[in-house]
Amino acid sequence: MITIPGLESIPPLWLQIAIAAVWVLFILAIAWGVNRFAHKEPEIIRKIVHIGTGNVILLAWWLNIPASIGITASIVASAVTLLSYRLPILPGINSVGRQSLGTFFYSVSFGILIACFWYLQQPQYAALGILVMTWGDGFAALIGQRFGKHKYKVFGSQKSWEGSLTMTFASYIVSSLVLLVSQGNIWQTWVVSLLVAVVATALEAFSFLGIDNLTVPLGSAALAFMLMQLFPI
């Protein structure tokens, strides 16, 4: 477990849950306010939620929140997002009838990664997988839509080289920071991060129905974990 300066002891369970819940509600409130008063494009609202809520995995890791809590939260969030595709539960985040299950897959990925890596007592890999999706895909979409001039298609899904390069760069930075904190300044940190970034970018290119919100975090976490086992410290 990584301890936060000034927080050397683990807070009680109720406080752990409260901190995580307050963070998620804070991000949703920001998204609601932007949607209600700033009238931004729906994609901007989705990315606020995408990037903001993804960082809750850091709280789960640093506070050592039990796996049962994380898995339960994932199940609840997955159910809510599924309903939101049919009912206006999350206006501005999911459009009713939207042809993408990205938000659902994103919620599911939390539960799967927490279940796997909390059990292995290696929560840093769950954090790595989620944060690669959170920051890598989040910024790739924003940069690609705004500055993406050089387009390419993968199985009918249009991407831009600008967005893909952003995905690679952001994924490398995120992976490096997580491994640097958890494993230290060793050569494996930098090499594994580079390989994870390249593979995550390739997985993000296959994004039909939002499946990349599942394949990118799971693939990134699994690859980082396996490579670190192949090249131990």
Side-chain angles (χ1 to χ4, degrees):
M1 182 186 69
I2 305 299
T3 57
I4 303 174
L7 189 63
E8 285 73 22
S9 61
I10 300 175
L13 180 59
W14 69 266
L15 183 56
Q16 296 176 12
I17 297 173
I19 292 172
V22 166
W23 174 258
V24 172
L25 291 174
F26 173 68
I27 296 300
L28 292 177
I30 291 176
W32 178 85
V34 172
N35 181 58
R36 177 69 174 80
F37 300 107
H39 305 292
K40 294 295 184 181
E41 297 177 4
E43 188 61 26
I44 299 295
I45 309 302
R46 282 192 287 271
K47 292 311 173 186
I48 290 174
V49 175
H50 177 99
I51 294 174
T53 57
N55 291 288
V56 77
I57 194 67
L58 289 175
L59 295 175
W61 174 22
W62 291 340
L63 298 175
N64 198 26
I65 290 177
S68 58
I69 300 299
I71 294 169
T72 299
S74 171
I75 292 172
V76 171
S78 300
V80 170
T81 54
L82 277 181
L83 286 174
S84 72
Y85 290 109
R86 295 295 180 184
L87 302 172
I89 299 175
L90 300 173
I93 299 174
N94 284 334
S95 300
V96 175
R98 183 169 177 250
Q99 297 300 308
S100 172
L101 294 173
T103 309
F104 169 71
F105 289 137
Y106 193 43
S107 301
V108 169
S109 67
F110 272 84
I112 294 175
L113 288 176
I114 288 174
C116 291
F117 290 107
W118 257 246
Y119 173 77
L120 295 172
Q121 297 184 353
Q122 300 285 342
Q124 66 269 25
Y125 294 107
L128 184 149
I130 293 297
L131 293 176
V132 164
M133 187 65 205
T134 295
W135 292 98
D137 178 77
F139 276 105
L142 294 174
I143 296 298
Q145 290 174 13
R146 186 172 181 82
F147 303 105
K149 304 298 182 182
H150 302 86
K151 308 291 186 181
Y152 68 94
K153 284 190 175 183
V154 178
F155 294 111
S157 178
Q158 182 170 277
K159 299 289 181 178
S160 71
W161 286 109
E162 291 84 354
S164 293
L165 288 174
T166 300
M167 175 73 183
T168 304
F169 178 74
S171 298
Y172 179 72
I173 295 298
V174 166
S175 299
S176 297
L177 289 174
V178 171
L179 294 179
L180 185 62
V181 169
S182 59
Q183 308 297 334
N185 185 13
I186 55 176
W187 69 266
Q188 291 95 326
T189 291
W190 314 109
V191 173
V192 169
S193 296
L194 179 59
L195 294 174
V196 167
V198 171
V199 171
T201 302
L203 291 173
E204 194 272 338
F206 297 88
S207 58
F208 58 93
L209 294 180
I211 192 66
D212 58 316
N213 280 4
L214 185 65
T215 58
V216 169
L218 298 189
S220 299
L223 179 62
F225 176 75
M226 289 187 294
L227 289 175
M228 291 303 292
Q229 307 314 302
L230 288 174
F231 306 109
I233 301 173

